[in-house]
């Protein structure tokens, strides 16, 4: 059978660019024979904002705010990794209190991100009760963030050399109370999800990734840990307060979507454990929360952080001026999403939907391309063009008013 | 009965069933919302939705077969309303003919067929996947649903006349009171859940996978007609089940109406509970459930009914 005949036999089922399965614009073309998916193509690039380039035009302190805006869900992972990278370049250590606060913020973020995923996974399976319950239980976490930083998302807590705000001692009992309630709620949710026979029938043995797949694709985070690959930056390359507290890395063996859910739900309990220990360590004490930094010398630095979705990597290069000359970001979804090549082919459309969602893809983190016209060798939609368009629109609206 | 009387009943059923159906849908939405820590919509939400849909532009895709695309929802609506009319006339006048239950069974498959017709006329890929699922689903739940009817027919002295089945129950108590009756009722509720396209059997629409599936290209009043069909089916389906197993719905006295409404709410609550405690099943799992467990259960029910249990 030649190529043309092959293609006529296959039907393309589009998932995206706008689709209820995807929270962000992405395009997956599923080549199907009946309900069976025989090939998947992935197109990204709908969300590119040129963060790395922008970063080169901001000074060191501004970049923390910029990278915080890469993603709304893991909005602390990027500043965390970025600060680690600059501190690596500077060769300084962060004051102890700031390290604990950093870990608290990082783990709270993992909590809310994992709960968000559990909810979305339920929604994609048509199980809206789990969707609403998980998101209801996510709310208190956002409340804690509001107590600590004044914001539910985009906490702006990170600063090169420390943290921007202290956690007030009088807030700690409040945080503990909310965390205590949350633990019971997550226990209930975990029980409901893991003991549901219908959910097990939908998720067990679906989208299996073996250890070899994980190593070949370089997948990270809960996706890798669900397949029995025991990696976690928090333990393997200790930073912040993670070496100072007791916790363990959760791994499972099967690598299917069910195990990914198990890993994420059990990690929530580890996060609560880490947060309570960090709160113990800072409660009733006073201490510095930021080191003094005069200037950034020329050189290179790398920083890593175990984001909720896996290892988030930042590389920066300095020439001694007040801004980075190169800032490279690798978000976890960038390596996690392509595993669909191994897990989706040969499955049905219904399963592919949940497998694609199973890696907890974060597309806006992943977007690292600009659009070029290949023939004219010209960049399309550059900054100037967008500013002009934006001005035009503003003028238009002003006239209408 | 004159033709005018029947026609007037048809119109009345159309109006009353769609209004009651939308209220039932509102109850579903409200209870679901409360289960999920939400407030839920006000009682008139479904009416507002329908009125809004009538005012929206109706898009007909370029690739669509225009006639089939428009005719499909109308066909489904008319068939459901006729089924509803027959059930109501039987309940009201206690008259029926010998095979009316079978006729109702046939009429109630037409809404699913109309979704298949409309979906295939729209020429959309996602709709094509949706209708292939709807077809398998229809084949799946029909057999257990027939078992439901057969069990009730055998229990009430081997009759396929809905009127006789109801009369039998008025004299001898509900069929639900027997072993085979419980089995038949359970199968009936699950099959209706499939017929109504509620979770876990909403795979033809499957928002998270197919973004609306078989109805993806429908908009405006045509989509509204499909919603209306669902609303009428949400009354007609349970009414049939009430007639078969719960002793019918007497509309001649106030107590009869109240007990009837309570019976209806019982079935609706079962629908809502099943809907909110299950994820969507895959099509192969759905067929395994319907053709495997439920059909076997149905045959067991028929044997029990023959044995007089």
């Amino acid at each position: 059978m030649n190529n043309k005949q092959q293609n006529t036999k296959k039907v393309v089922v589009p998932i995206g660019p706008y689709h209820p399965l995807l929270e962000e614009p992405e395009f997956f073309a599923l080549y199907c024979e009946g309900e069976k998916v025989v090939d998947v193509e992935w197109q990204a690039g709908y969300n590119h904002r040129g963060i790395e380039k922008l970063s080169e035009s901001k000074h060191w302190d501004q970049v923390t705010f910029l990278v915080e805006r890469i993603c709304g869900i893991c909005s602390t992972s990027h500043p965390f990794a970025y600060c680690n990278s600059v501190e690596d370049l500077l060769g300084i250590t962060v004051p102890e209190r700031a390290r604990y606060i950093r870990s608290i913020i990082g783990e709270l973020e993992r909590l809310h991100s994992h709960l968000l995923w559990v909810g979305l996974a339920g929604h994609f399976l048509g199980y809206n009760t789990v969707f609403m319950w998980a998101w209801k239980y996510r709310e208190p976490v956002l409340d804690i963030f509001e107590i600590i930083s004044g914001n539910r998302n985009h906490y702006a807590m990170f600063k090169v050399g420390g943290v921007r705000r202290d956690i007030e001692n009088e807030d700690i009992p409040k945080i503990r109370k909310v965390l205590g309630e949350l633990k019971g709620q997550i226990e209930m949710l975990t029980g409901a999800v893991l003991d549901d026979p219908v959910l097990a029938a939908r998720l067990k043995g679906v989208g299996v990734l073996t250890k070899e797949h994980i190593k070949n694709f370089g997948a990270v985070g809960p996706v890798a840990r669900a397949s029995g690959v025991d990696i976690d930056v928090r333990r393997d390359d200790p930073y912040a307060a993670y070496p100072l507290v007791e916790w363990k890395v959760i791994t499972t063996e099967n690598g299917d979507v069910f195990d990914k859910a198990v890993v994420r739900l059990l990690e929530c309990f580890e996060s609560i454990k880490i947060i309570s220990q960090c709160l113990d360590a800072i409660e009733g004490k006073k201490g510095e929360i930021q080191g003094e930094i005069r200037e950034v010398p020329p050189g290179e630095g790398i920083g890593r952080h175990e984001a909720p979705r896996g290892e988030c990597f930042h590389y920066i290069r300095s020439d001694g001026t007040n801004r980075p000359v190169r800032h490279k970001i690798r978000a976890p979804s960038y390596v996690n999403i392509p595993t669909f090549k191994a897990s989706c082919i040969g499955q049905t459309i219904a399963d592919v939907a949940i497998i694609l969602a199973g890696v907890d893809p974060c597309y806006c983190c992943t977007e690292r391309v600009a659009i070029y016209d290949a023939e004219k060798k010209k960049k399309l939609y550059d900054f100037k063009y967008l500013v002009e368009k934006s001005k035009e629109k503003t003028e238009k609206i002003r006239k209408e008013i | 009965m004159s033709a005018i009387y029947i026609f007037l009943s048809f119109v009345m059923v159309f109006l009353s069933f769609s209004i009651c159906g939308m209220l039932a849908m509102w109850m579903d939405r409200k209870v679901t919302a409360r289960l999920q820590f939400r407030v839920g919509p006000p009682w008139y939400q479904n009416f507002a939705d329908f009125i809004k849909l009538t005012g929206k532009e109706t898009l007909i895709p370029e690739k669509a077969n225009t006639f089939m695309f428009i005719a499909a929802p109308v066909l489904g609506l008319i068939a459901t309303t006729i089924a509803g009319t027959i059930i109501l006339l039987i309940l009201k006048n206690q008259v029926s003919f010998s095979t009316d239950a079978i006729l109702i069974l046939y009429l109630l498959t037409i809404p699913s067929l109309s979704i298949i017709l409309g979906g295939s006329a729209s020429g959309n890929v996602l709709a094509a996947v949706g209708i292939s699922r709807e077809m398998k689903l229809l084949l799946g739940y029909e057999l257990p649903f027939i078992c439901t009817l057969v069990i009730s027919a055998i229990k009430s002295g081997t009759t396929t006349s809905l009127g006789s089945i109801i009369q039998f129950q008025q004299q001898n108590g509900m069929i639900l009171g027997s072993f085979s009756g419980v089995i038949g009722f359970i199968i009936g509720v699950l099959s209706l859940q499939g017929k109504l396209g509620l979770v876990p059997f909403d795979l033809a629409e499957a928002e998270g996978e197919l973004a609306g599936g078989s109805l993806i290209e429908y908009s405006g009043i045509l989509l509204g007609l499909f919603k209306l069909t669902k609303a009428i089916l949400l009354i007609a389906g349970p009414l049939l089940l009430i007639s078969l197993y719960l002793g019918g719905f007497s509309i001649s006295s106030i107590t009869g109406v109240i007990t009837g409404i309570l019976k209806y709410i019982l079935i609706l609550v079962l629908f809502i509970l099943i809907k909110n405690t299950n994820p969507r099943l895959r099509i192969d799992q759905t067929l395994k459930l319907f053709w495997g467990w439920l059909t076997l259960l149905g045959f067991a029910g028929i044997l029990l009914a023959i044995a007089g249990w």
Side-chain angles (χ1 to χ4, degrees):
Chain A
M1 204 192 279
N2 65 30
N3 240 351
K4 201 177 171 190
Q5 275 172 319
Q6 256 175 359
N7 283 339
T8 49
K9 277 198 82 177
K10 286 176 201 159
V11 178
V12 181
V13 173
I15 292 193
Y18 300 101
H19 190 280
L21 180 69
L22 310 165
E23 314 89 277
E24 296 159 65
E26 285 297 311
F27 181 61
F28 290 94
L30 312 181
Y31 291 90
C32 298
E33 281 168 3
E35 283 254 336
K36 205 177 124 198
V37 177
V38 290
D39 199 7
V40 184
E41 253 175 47
W42 173 41
Q43 269 180 41
Y46 299 92
N47 247 347
H48 179 64
R49 290 155 295 165
I51 298 269
E52 288 175 10
K53 185 70 191 160
L54 270 175
S55 168
E56 291 164 18
S57 63
K58 306 264 178 256
H59 66 65
W60 296 104
D61 201 30
Q62 286 174 325
V63 176
T64 40
F65 295 104
L66 176 70
V67 292
E68 186 157 11
R69 270 140 192 87
I70 290 177
C71 176
I73 298 168
C74 33
S75 67
T76 254
S77 301
H78 289 286
F80 210 145
Y82 166 74
C83 290
N84 281 347
S85 70
V86 181
E87 284 148 17
D88 177 47
L89 165 61
L90 291 165
I92 59 163
T93 45
V94 182
E96 195 175 87
R97 192 176 173 88
R99 286 168 70 182
Y100 281 115
I101 293 175
R102 282 184 172 190
S103 280
I104 291 171
I105 301 291
E107 291 313 301
L108 280 171
E109 181 180 84
R110 192 179 321 280
L111 262 180
H112 97 73
S113 174
H114 282 351
L115 286 174
L116 180 121
W117 178 82
V118 171
L120 284 177
H123 177 58
F124 299 146
L125 288 171
Y127 204 162
N128 283 338
T129 313
V130 167
F131 175 36
M132 291 294 165
W133 284 33
W135 281 40
K136 167 90 179 167
Y137 297 148
R138 177 177 168 258
E139 262 331 90
V141 187
L142 299 181
D143 289 344
I144 296 180
F145 272 126
E146 198 170 351
I147 292 174
I148 295 175
S149 73
N151 276 331
R152 285 158 53 89
N153 299 91
H154 297 303
Y155 333 109
M157 286 293 282
F158 276 70
K159 184 178 189 179
V160 175
V163 287
R164 227 166 271 279
R165 282 180 216 94
D166 203 354
I167 294 180
E168 303 296 335
N169 278 323
E170 64 263 27
D171 288 339
I172 291 177
K174 279 187 243 163
I175 298 172
R176 268 188 212 287
K177 187 167 162 278
V178 179
L179 272 183
E181 285 165 10
L182 188 69
K183 197 174 175 196
Q185 289 164 341
I186 299 178
E187 262 162 15
M188 198 275 284
L189 188 71
T190 310
V193 170
L194 302 188
D195 297 339
D196 190 322
V198 190
L199 265 182
R202 275 302 314 266
L203 299 179
K204 274 197 176 153
V206 167
V208 177
L209 288 170
T210 61
K211 276 187 184 175
E212 273 64 50
H213 288 142
I214 296 296
K215 282 175 186 160
N216 292 342
F217 284 99
V220 290
V223 177
R225 290 196 284 274
S227 300
V229 180
D230 193 7
I231 50 167
D232 194 317
V233 183
R234 291 174 290 173
R235 182 200 58 200
D236 303 338
D237 182 12
Y239 57 97
Y242 293 115
L244 308 174
V245 291
E246 275 285 311
W247 61 283
K248 60 178 193 288
V249 177
I250 307 282
T251 53
T252 53
E253 287 305 317
N254 302 323
D256 51 14
V257 180
F258 189 79
D259 272 24
K260 290 182 184 115
V262 173
V263 166
R264 293 202 172 97
L265 282 166
L266 295 184
E267 274 186 7
C268 288
F269 296 111
E270 294 302 314
S271 293
I272 293 179
K273 223 157 88 186
I274 296 174
I275 297 167
S276 348
Q277 291 176 60
C278 290
L279 288 174
D280 287 339
I282 60 169
E283 191 165 20
K285 293 177 195 156
K286 286 221 176 310
E288 276 298 307
I289 56 162
Q290 46 183 290
E292 192 165 321
I293 295 153
R294 290 289 174 199
E295 57 190 37
V296 181
E300 293 173 316
I302 60 162
R304 305 202 281 175
H305 167 57
E306 184 72 18
R309 288 160 185 75
E311 178 198 349
C312 176
F313 175 91
H314 280 232
Y315 162 85
I316 48 124
R317 187 160 68 217
S318 160
D319 60 354
T321 56
N322 67 343
R323 55 193 65 183
V325 286
R326 178 78 179 101
H327 186 180
K328 166 71 190 157
I329 301 162
R330 197 189 75 166
S333 295
Y334 186 72
V335 283
N336 283 345
I337 296 173
T339 56
F340 68 76
K341 278 279 181 200
S343 54
C344 289
I345 313 279
Q347 308 273 352
T348 60
I349 297 173
D351 283 341
V352 165
I354 187 65
I355 297 170
L356 287 178
V359 300
D360 199 0
C362 182
Y363 304 109
C364 59
C365 289
T366 309
E367 305 278 294
R368 294 281 164 271
V369 273
I371 302 170
Y372 275 87
D373 189 335
E375 280 169 22
K376 291 175 192 159
K377 296 208 186 316
K378 210 182 104 195
K379 194 175 176 184
L380 302 171
Y381 310 120
D382 59 353
F383 183 65
K384 215 171 134 190
Y385 172 81
L386 289 174
V387 168
E388 272 168 21
K389 276 281 162 201
S390 156
K391 277 181 186 162
E392 270 176 39
K393 180 91 184 193
T394 316
E395 276 305 312
K396 209 176 124 193
I397 293 170
R398 191 176 291 155
K399 268 178 203 155
E400 278 170 13
I401 292 169
Chain B
M1 273 182 276
S2 68
I4 293 174
Y5 177 76
I6 292 174
F7 180 73
L8 283 178
S9 315
F10 179 84
V11 173
M12 208 202 76
V13 163
F14 175 70
L15 290 174
S16 60
F17 275 35
S18 42
I19 289 171
C20 295
M22 282 189 182
L23 287 174
M25 278 168 132
W26 165 74
M27 240 179 88
D28 167 24
R29 286 171 75 169
K30 188 80 182 174
V31 174
T32 304
R34 298 308 302 165
L35 278 174
Q36 299 174 348
F37 303 117
R38 291 185 286 120
V39 178
W43 67 269
Y44 55 81
Q45 186 63 52
N46 286 302
F47 301 100
D49 285 352
F50 181 74
I51 290 165
K52 191 195 78 173
L53 278 177
T54 57
K56 288 270 179 188
E57 186 187 1
T58 304
L59 295 167
I60 295 173
E62 263 176 41
K63 281 184 188 167
N65 178 330
T66 313
F67 175 72
M68 293 302 284
F69 190 76
I70 296 172
V74 180
L75 181 72
L77 185 63
I78 291 175
T80 326
T81 316
I82 292 176
T85 315
I86 295 173
I87 295 174
L88 198 76
L89 284 176
I90 292 167
L91 288 175
K92 185 164 175 288
N93 304 333
Q94 308 278 332
V95 288
S96 68
F97 53 95
S98 60
T99 53
D100 51 9
I102 296 176
L103 176 66
I104 292 167
L105 212 64
Y106 271 108
L107 285 171
L108 288 184
T109 57
I110 295 181
S112 304
L113 290 175
S114 78
I115 290 177
I116 294 171
L117 271 181
S120 56
S122 70
N124 185 301
V125 184
L126 292 168
V129 180
I131 59 163
S132 92
R133 289 181 180 185
E134 178 79 39
M135 250 183 258
K136 289 169 195 157
L137 187 65
L138 177 67
L139 292 174
Y141 64 65
E142 272 313 295
L143 192 55
F145 200 56
I146 290 169
C147 290
T148 308
L149 176 66
V150 171
I151 291 171
S152 176
I154 293 173
K155 284 299 287 181
S156 47
T158 329
T159 169
T160 47
S161 151
L162 209 53
S164 316
I165 292 175
I166 296 167
Q167 269 165 14
F168 172 83
Q169 293 184 75
Q170 278 165 354
Q171 284 148 18
N172 303 303
M174 292 180 199
I175 294 180
L176 186 66
S178 61
F179 271 119
S180 54
V182 172
I183 292 175
F185 184 72
I186 293 170
I187 301 171
V189 167
L190 285 172
S191 308
L192 272 181
Q193 189 100 1
K195 213 180 251 301
L196 289 162
L198 298 173
V199 184
F201 309 120
D202 71 329
L203 14 75
E205 285 183 35
E207 193 211 345
E209 299 157 21
L210 302 179
S214 33
L215 299 184
I216 189 168
E217 290 289 355
Y218 276 97
S219 56
I221 180 72
L222 294 180
L223 182 62
L225 290 185
F226 272 119
K227 300 270 175 212
L228 209 57
T229 312
K230 275 268 162 70
I232 296 174
L233 199 59
L234 191 54
I235 298 290
L239 265 190
L240 178 64
L241 210 56
I242 289 171
S243 310
L244 290 176
Y245 284 94
L246 299 177
F249 191 125
S250 163
I251 40 180
S252 46
S253 67
I254 292 178
T255 48
V257 170
I258 290 171
T259 46
I261 290 175
L262 287 178
K263 287 172 192 169
Y264 177 79
I265 288 176
L266 168 78
I267 295 179
L268 190 65
V269 165
L270 283 177
F271 283 159
I272 298 171
L273 273 183
I274 297 171
K275 179 185 153 185
N276 282 309
T277 50
N278 282 294
R280 185 187 308 124
L281 286 172
R282 266 201 319 263
I283 187 70
D284 56 320
Q285 292 167 334
T286 312
L287 287 186
K288 250 178 224 158
L289 176 72
F290 278 126
W291 280 349
W293 290 111
L294 288 184
T295 306
L296 284 179
L297 202 62
F299 288 155
I302 291 173
L303 289 179
L304 282 176
I306 292 172
W309 283 64

